[in-house]
Amino acid sequence: MQIPLVDLKAQYQALRPEIDAAIAAVMAEAAFVGNVSNPFVRKFAEEFAAFVGVKHCVPCANGTDAIEILLQAAGVGPGDEVIVPAVSWIATSEAVTTVGARPVFADIDPRTCTLSPEDFVRKITPRTKAVIPVHLYGQPADMDPILATAKDRGLFVLEDCAQAHGARYRGRQVGTIGDAASFSFFPGKNLGAYGDAGGMVTNDEALASRARMISQHGQGKGKHDHQIEGRNSRLDGIHAAVLSVKLKYLAQGNARRREHAAHYLRLLANTGLTFQHAPATDYHVYHLFTVQVARRDEIVAELQRDGIGVTIQYPRALPLLAAYASRGHEPADFPAAAALTARVLSLPMYPELTVEQIEWTAKRLREAVGV
Ligand SMILES: *Cc1c(COP(=O)(O)O)cnc(C)c1O
């Protein structure tokens, strides 16, 4: 049985008439570029802000730009340090460097795999200006202690929600908890466009208008009124129209992902395997369903030979990547991140996954592990 990690073709087939009509409408209007007057972009931004439960959504070109622009809008730059978790996609730390600041890595909590609130405190210095908790794999970071520390130290809190559209932390939607949040609408995310796309959300009006200005060449009130030098980071009309269609199915897709995760967990119970801890108070949206195993690389190769789209997110902790070799970090500096990245693998996960596919994957995993 061939089982992909993510099946975007199945999703397109399910929504095809609506998506085709949405794209045709953009073509008919020639509303291609996401400038302020694009009705498709404005509509999606309003819908997404309402979905998250925030006052402002500023769309942009991708999730990496969203982090970068929000940091810049918050005044983070050269001389500043920004604390990021040791396990994430490199975009989280890369965006800190791009604005001229220095990413400082903190270890993860070994159970939830998200930023350790204790190691975050330990990594604060007089130069620390912000923290970027990442809601990894769809599980919200432990925001209450992180916020308490940030408030106490006057730090800007930017939630990286790229893997967690619609997730909730103790009843609160991710994206509403910190000072601002970044989303990616990369095709494979829980809410994905048909190319690169991203968005920034916040309740802070001044921050939103600075972010909007930066993303549109520093444009002020009208055309050719450039208040500052900004950049070009816009959401295209076609992506906005696709996202408006897909947003209607996001909650349902997340609910399906949770059912699939529960089914995997039932089938893999009493095997001694380790799973990401998902506190019952939170709503994990399973962008990825991960399992931690010994002999990970052998097991991944065996399942891949079987046609099961197992992958590794991520095989190395961020501070141990070649990109950060100059820091001289060692695995012992981030014991929980090093342990997770040595053992973690991701099983196929997407709303259209079938019960047969889940059962086959779980059976083959048990056989490969020998439990
Ligand atoms: C995908 C992702 C990003 C970056 O989003 P892009 O749209 O690919 O630029 C940032 N952070 C995390 C945790 C991600 O998974």
Side-chain angles (χ1 to χ4, degrees):
M1 200 184 311
Q2 291 288 322
I3 310 175
L5 177 76
V6 181
D7 190 352
L8 297 175
K9 291 179 191 163
Q11 194 191 43
Y12 174 54
Q13 287 312 324
L15 302 177
R16 188 168 190 162
E18 259 188 287
I19 293 211
D20 287 356
I23 293 174
V26 176
M27 315 258 238
E29 296 291 323
F32 300 124
V33 171
N35 54 29
V36 271
S37 59
N38 186 305
F40 299 94
V41 173
R42 199 175 331 149
K43 177 168 178 282
F44 171 67
E46 281 167 14
E47 291 167 350
F48 193 67
F51 172 84
V52 175
V54 285
K55 292 194 191 130
H56 311 281
C57 168
V58 180
C60 62
N62 57 66
T64 310
D65 281 7
I67 303 172
E68 228 175 273
I69 294 169
L70 282 170
L71 289 174
Q72 214 184 328
V76 175
D80 297 331
E81 291 178 356
V82 178
I83 297 176
V84 302
V87 180
S88 182
W89 174 237
I90 189 170
T92 313
S93 48
E94 206 175 38
V96 174
T97 306
T98 317
V99 301
R102 178 181 170 86
V104 171
F105 301 99
D107 206 358
I108 54 166
D109 174 294
R111 295 187 73 219
T112 61
C113 309
T114 60
L115 180 66
S116 156
E118 294 79 29
D119 205 38
F120 161 48
V121 173
R122 282 192 286 269
K123 296 294 162 66
I124 295 173
T125 75
R127 289 170 176 263
T128 309
K129 195 81 177 276
V131 58
I132 311 182
V134 178
H135 305 311
L136 196 73
Y137 310 144
Q139 166 60 43
D142 191 4
M143 294 302 292
D144 280 341
I146 294 171
L147 281 183
T149 303
K151 190 159 182 236
D152 192 44
R153 307 293 186 99
L155 306 179
F156 179 71
V157 180
L158 167 45
E159 295 174 69
D160 181 341
C161 302
Q163 303 186 359
H165 317 67
R168 293 194 290 274
Y169 172 75
R170 301 186 180 170
R172 282 171 280 164
Q173 278 260 4
V174 303
T176 64
I177 307 167
D179 296 301
S182 58
F183 284 86
S184 165
F185 305 120
F186 175 82
K189 307 284 166 141
N190 288 31
L191 178 61
Y194 282 3
D196 280 308
M200 309 173 258
V201 301
T202 181
N203 283 317
D204 180 336
E205 167 131 39
L207 187 73
S209 71
R210 277 198 299 280
R212 183 171 287 112
M213 201 184 264
I214 292 167
S215 67
Q216 306 214 352
H217 297 292
Q219 187 173 311
K221 288 268 178 284
K223 215 172 179 177
H224 304 304
D225 168 29
H226 301 282
Q227 298 284 324
I228 53 169
E229 274 187 333
R231 57 191 285 175
N232 178 2
S233 184
R234 298 179 289 223
L235 175 66
D236 291 338
I238 286 177
H239 296 318
V242 168
L243 288 167
S244 279
V245 173
K246 293 223 256 169
L247 180 58
K248 293 190 286 179
Y249 302 96
L250 174 60
Q252 178 189 316
N254 284 342
R256 292 299 304 275
R257 288 171 184 269
R258 288 174 55 86
E259 284 168 24
H260 298 336
H263 199 49
Y264 271 133
L265 288 168
R266 276 194 299 276
L267 295 166
L268 298 170
N270 308 314
T271 53
L273 295 174
T274 307
F275 301 95
Q276 182 184 26
H277 176 59
T281 46
D282 300 344
Y283 192 83
H284 188 322
V285 292
Y286 293 97
H287 171 58
L288 295 173
F289 183 85
T290 58
V291 189
Q292 295 163 47
V293 297
R295 297 190 299 117
R296 188 263 319 272
D297 293 351
E298 281 169 54
I299 287 165
V300 167
E302 187 172 335
L303 294 181
Q304 284 177 344
R305 271 198 302 275
D306 262 14
I308 300 174
V310 172
T311 56
I312 303 171
Q313 274 101 353
Y314 298 94
R316 253 171 208 274
L318 291 176
L320 305 177
L321 290 170
Y324 300 105
S326 65
R327 304 286 182 97
H329 286 307
E330 293 173 18
D333 299 337
F334 305 95
L340 176 72
T341 52
R343 296 165 55 88
V344 77
L345 61 84
S346 310
L347 297 181
M349 174 54 83
Y350 48 92
E352 298 79 10
L353 201 62
T354 65
V355 169
E356 293 71 34
Q357 289 173 319
I358 294 168
E359 289 176 350
W360 175 248
T361 300
K363 176 174 180 290
R364 291 296 297 119
L365 176 64
R366 290 185 72 139
E367 286 166 2
V369 177
V371 287

